[in-house]
Amino acid sequence: MITGHFKTRYAADEGIWSTWPKKLSLVLCLLALFVLPFFANNYVLLLASQIAIFIIAVVGLNVLVGYTGLMSLGHGAFFAIGAYTAVAVHGVWPNAMPLITLAIATTVAAFFGVLFGLPSLRVKGLYLAVATLSANFIVLFLIKREWMAPWTGGVSGIETPNPMLFGIELATQRDKYFFIIPVMVIFVLFAQNLFRTRFGRALIAIRDKDYSAEIMGISLFSYKLKSFAISAAYCGAAGCLWAYFFPAILPEDFGLSMSITLVVCLVAGGMGRTLGPIFGTMLIILVPELLKVLATLITQGDANAQRYFSPLRDIVFGLMIIGFLIFEPMGLVSVWDRFWRVVGRWPFAK
């Protein structure tokens, strides 16, 4: 039974995984991610890779919303910037290394994050959310212009290249999975460690009380823009991986619905925690797929029955999300915390 966490060294106090159950769960998760492609079919790998890409984007949104306290409804735009930047880089440099393309897409998205983050210096809350909403409309408007068609394909979209890693073309779902998952793990670990630094603690101070943080010497101008840059960079990296993973991209892929989906994933998982985006993304992406499988089993593949059942499936999913937010407003991460508290007090926990 875990009765307490007694730290005798600074290294132990700074450790992320302080107990053996947490260390064991981390090892098992990494092992499962490594073993999965050897047993899963392409459909499962498609879902797993899509979840990993969205986790990167939602973790980035969590940096801004969960840790800095700045609301945004425009992160779908940064997702699009990363995707189209990757395609543009390969248009100029066909054999570009995917890691180099990833770095370029991340940097370009971070620049636009600073640009669209300027309103945060004057407004916050709902007003900031509306201000960042303009990012979606502006970016999509530019993508659809004819003069941008050589790089974006315009309204009809554009085909995306397969990444070439050390001369090997990553063409199959399994190959792309093994490229996406390590990138996702690195980005998640970076975010986890970011808030153990002075910079991360400054962002948390801004979230809790920005005026008090400014009195303590924290530059709101600098830290808010840096938070926007990091958050947008994460979405840009996710967009780059999205472009590599799918054979083509369309402007409609990055509309307002994507920005809202990212926010819903964050709220459902739990804001201000690194595990929150992971749990929330898995919930929002996997539950509709499970409902689709359930609908197929109930209707026995009848096309007419599925046509009537499809709206009901969406209603059930919406009601589930509403009920979840009402009865578990802190997100899935609070359920995870309660589970480990029970494990730590076993056999005396009730």
Side-chain angles (χ1 to χ4, degrees), residues 78 81 108-120 135 138 225 228-229 232:
F78 307 132
I81 289 170
V108 173
F111 169 77
F112 280 94
V114 172
L115 184 64
F116 286 108
L118 290 175
S120 67
I138 293 174
L225 291 185
F228 259 99

Side-chain angles (χ1 to χ4, degrees), residues 259-277:
S259 297
I260 294 176
T261 299
L262 296 178
V263 174
V264 172
C265 289
L266 179 59
V267 174
M271 296 186 292
R273 296 283 299 278
T274 306
L275 286 177

Side-chain angles (χ1 to χ4, degrees), residues 122-135:
R122 289 290 184 180
V123 296
K124 56 184 178 180
L126 182 60
Y127 299 99
L128 179 60
V130 174
T132 56
L133 189 61
S134 64

Side-chain angles (χ1 to χ4, degrees), residues 216-297:
M216 294 171 61
I218 297 174
S219 172
L220 298 184
F221 175 82
S222 174
Y223 280 91
K224 283 185 177 182
L225 291 185
K226 288 178 182 177
S227 178
F228 259 99
I230 294 173
S231 182
Y234 267 71
C235 285
C240 178
L241 297 178
W242 185 275
Y244 279 142
F245 190 70
F246 291 98
I249 53 176
L250 296 168
E252 289 74 17
D253 296 336
F254 312 102
L256 180 60
S257 60
M258 172 169 281
S259 297
I260 294 176
T261 299
L262 296 178
V263 174
V264 172
C265 289
L266 179 59
V267 174
M271 296 186 292
R273 296 283 299 278
T274 306
L275 286 177
I278 298 175
F279 292 147
T281 303
M282 294 177 65
L283 175 72
I284 299 303
I285 293 181
L286 288 181
V287 168
E289 295 298 326
L290 294 177
L291 290 176
K292 189 185 301 182
V293 172
L294 181 62
T296 303
L297 293 176

Side-chain angles (χ1 to χ4, degrees), residues 138-149:
I138 293 174
V139 171
L140 291 182
F141 174 81
L142 294 176
I143 288 173
K144 295 177 181 179
R145 295 305 94 193
E146 289 295 329
W147 57 273
M148 289 286 291

